[in-house]
Amino acid sequence: MSTVREFRIDVPQAALDDLADRLRRTRWPAELPGVGWSRGVPVGYLGDVAAHWLHAYDWRAWEARLNEFPQYTTEIDGQRVHFAHVRSPEPDALPLILTHGWPGSIVEFLRVIGPLTDPARHGGDPADAFHVVAPSLPGFGFSTPLSGPGWNHDRIARAWIGLMDRLGYERYGAQGSDTGYLVSPRLGHLAPDRVVGVHIHGGLEFPDAEQLATVTLTATERARLAAADRLRRHGSGYADIQGTRPQTLGYALTDSPVGQLAWTLDKVRDWTDPAHDLPDEALDRDVLLTDVSLYWLTGTAASSAQLYHEVRAQPPRPAAPSGVPTGIAVFPPDPALRRLAEREHHLVHWAEYDRGGHFAALEVPDLLVADIRAFFRPLRPGRR
């Protein structure tokens, strides 16, 4: 058995001093007047957030918050894997592995780990408790350096199965968004005898014309797909760049903290609740900066982008559902359609919400936690 080592985040002060120095010396580009957000993040808004990063944001305070969760590292399939492992005080808690996506990190789980692991302390039913395992994807955060090519969704799912085995969990649930929206169901396909259920949200896959021709859309679905299609047509350049030239992009983002900030804020604005105009209206500004700081301080712009290159070449997904019960939570920006999802998953739970967005764990943790609890409640041992 490979060793599981305790881990604590402790960024050298020299790295924080260097960040501050680079923020002070930012070279700002000119911008066209009157274009707003239509061509990317406006200079005025970005300058305001960058100034907050330099003068008001406190990494040490957020580092301490992250360190409140027990963290570890281990090696799986030749790759260093960092993960938080928070056991519930409830002895019969169900193990649950959470998978984040890009441009996210384990920072996404700051507001849900407590309610999931200790519901009684957060006004919930102790019977809904989970033991939470939250890994950093290979090439993200402290799951570095990336050991080599080939880390696609299937390989990540196999690593997660190995991680849960290493922790002694024989039966468990899987939950995820973005990358986790695709990785979590793969756990069900690869280990259907061990995964009791899969809960997902925040998928970004837009149905193709052939799929849409087979379903009749409701007015609500048409409106949601129209909004998602606008994002796909005008906001998907990041995926093309990361999917084809992740290393080239990495030089710019690894050398400029404001570049990393802009690259992240652009997608946060696109994907959060459309009721909000600005990224930091949907997400707390300091939480956003903690996520961006994690990418910057670990130098993982290029290694995290490699995932987009890998998924272009990975084998197609299984044509038939795994048979593992699956639940999907849909938030306003999501392009998910129930009738199409039923073809890919053994769908037993579907919930649509009128607030929240792609980063639901940070935007609307109350809704997400309640939905996760409701989905897994009948799947717990002894309740089937």
Side-chain angles (χ1 to χ4, degrees):
M1 177 184 291
S2 295
T3 303
V4 174
R5 297 180 175 86
E6 293 186 0
F7 178 83
R8 185 173 179 82
I9 303 172
D10 186 13
V11 171
Q13 185 58 42
L16 300 178
D17 294 340
D18 175 70
L19 169 60
D21 181 59
R22 289 171 183 266
L23 288 171
R24 291 189 190 96
R25 294 186 297 107
T26 299
R27 291 183 63 202
W28 295 97
E31 69 178 347
L32 295 177
V35 299
W37 284 81
S38 65
R39 304 192 182 198
V41 184
V43 171
Y45 178 76
L46 188 61
D48 182 55
V49 179
H52 183 89
W53 198 3
L54 174 61
H55 298 295
Y57 174 76
D58 183 356
W59 164 261
R60 292 300 184 200
W62 287 90
E63 181 181 73
R65 285 192 61 177
L66 288 168
N67 280 329
E68 291 174 3
F69 302 125
Q71 296 169 65
Y72 306 86
T73 60
T74 191
E75 184 176 306
I76 300 176
D77 191 13
Q79 173 64 47
R80 182 181 194 251
V81 173
H82 161 262
F83 61 100
H85 183 199
V86 186
R87 288 187 59 84
S88 171
E90 305 298 331
D92 295 327
L94 176 68
L96 180 68
I97 185 164
L98 305 177
T99 304
H100 67 80
W102 181 94
S105 64
I106 63 166
V107 172
E108 287 186 52
F109 307 130
L110 277 171
R111 301 181 68 185
V112 299
I113 288 179
L116 289 174
T117 56
D118 194 358
R121 189 176 178 184
H122 294 82
D125 185 346
D128 288 327
F130 297 91
H131 300 306
V132 168
V133 179
S136 298
L137 290 165
F140 289 66
F142 299 102
S143 288
T144 51
L146 193 60
S147 61
W151 279 100
N152 58 30
H153 295 151
D154 287 338
R155 191 173 178 188
I156 293 169
R158 292 189 183 94
W160 284 187
I161 293 168
L163 175 60
M164 296 302 274
D165 181 64
R166 191 163 296 173
L167 296 176
Y169 294 133
E170 295 182 0
R171 296 280 284 167
Y172 50 87
Q175 202 284 329
S177 66
D178 193 86
T179 299
Y181 189 94
L182 300 171
V183 168
S184 300
R186 279 161 166 74
L187 270 73
H189 278 278
L190 294 170
D193 57 328
R194 303 184 64 180
V195 178
V196 302
V198 172
H199 183 280
I200 51 179
H201 71 283
L204 287 173
E205 291 186 311
F206 191 86
D208 59 34
E210 183 177 345
Q211 290 174 315
L212 290 176
T214 65
V215 296
T216 301
L217 300 176
T218 67
T220 299
E221 290 170 335
R222 283 196 299 271
R224 195 167 69 237
L225 285 180
D229 186 51
R230 287 193 293 272
L231 285 181
R232 181 174 64 93
R233 287 185 285 109
H234 299 292
S236 61
Y238 80 98
D240 292 331
I241 294 172
Q242 295 195 159
T244 56
R245 293 294 185 268
Q247 189 64 34
T248 303
L249 172 68
Y251 296 112
L253 303 191
T254 304
D255 193 56
S256 168
V258 166
Q260 178 70 76
L261 177 62
W263 197 246
T264 302
L265 289 179
D266 188 83
K267 305 329 301 171
V268 171
R269 183 176 188 265
D270 279 352
W271 298 344
T272 47
D273 190 332
H276 300 291
D277 290 330
L278 298 174
D280 56 349
E281 292 174 353
L283 298 179
D284 178 86
R285 181 176 284 196
D286 280 3
V287 172
L288 267 172
L289 288 172
T290 301
D291 184 62
V292 175
S293 295
L294 188 58
Y295 277 81
W296 172 260
L297 295 169
T298 56
T300 49
S303 59
S304 61
Q306 299 294 334
L307 178 61
Y308 282 73
H309 191 278
E310 299 297 346
V311 300
R312 287 185 170 223
Q314 75 177 5
R317 281 179 286 176
S322 66
V324 173
T326 300
I328 299 180
V330 181
F331 297 93
D334 297 346
L337 296 177
R338 181 167 188 162
R339 279 150 293 173
L340 296 181
E342 287 171 341
R343 301 175 188 178
E344 295 188 18
H345 307 287
H346 174 37
L347 195 65
V348 301
H349 174 92
W350 179 273
E352 297 185 16
Y353 296 97
D354 60 4
R355 62 184 176 95
H358 187 71
F359 304 96
L362 289 173
E363 295 178 70
V364 285
D366 56 332
L367 296 183
L368 183 62
V369 168
D371 204 78
I372 293 171
R373 289 172 178 170
F375 167 70
F376 280 105
R377 197 167 289 139
L379 302 178
R380 290 174 178 271
R383 297 195 188 182
R384 284 184 165 183

